Amino acid sequence: MSGDFPQYVYVQVADQVEAEIRSGRLPVGARLPNERDMGAQYGVAPGTARRAVAELRDRGLVATLPNKGTFVVATEAGN
């Protein structure tokens, strides 16, 4: 398989946020925007932003605390 297949939009958003985390623009402890604001920031629907956040959680980069928000917990995937 080659890398010629299109990527899902939510993966593209997750990759962009991961790049911001790795660059230090979003340090550990930083709160991510809510889904509506993140959608507006990246030009996607809130549901797409929700899936991007889920992808970032799966990568081990963020954690979501009920009624608090989503926060950066690592700067490297899998940490």
Side-chain angles (χ1 to χ4, degrees):
M1 293 187 128
S2 68
D4 296 334
F5 296 101
Q7 243 184 354
Y8 289 110
V9 173
Y10 78 92
V11 174
Q12 293 174 1
V13 172
D15 288 347
Q16 289 178 27
V17 175
E18 182 175 352
E20 291 181 29
I21 291 169
R22 289 180 183 272
S23 74
R25 186 168 179 268
L26 288 173
V28 171
R31 184 173 185 223
L32 269 58
N34 65 39
E35 294 165 358
R36 185 172 315 170
D37 292 343
M38 181 180 275
Q41 180 178 345
Y42 291 98
V44 298
T48 302
R50 182 179 311 115
R51 289 189 70 181
V53 170
E55 176 70 18
L56 292 165
R57 273 197 306 269
D58 289 347
R59 295 179 189 184
L61 294 170
V62 302
T64 301
L65 303 173
N67 300 316
K68 300 287 184 195
T70 301
F71 299 87
V72 176
V73 295
T75 57
E76 297 289 327
N79 285 349

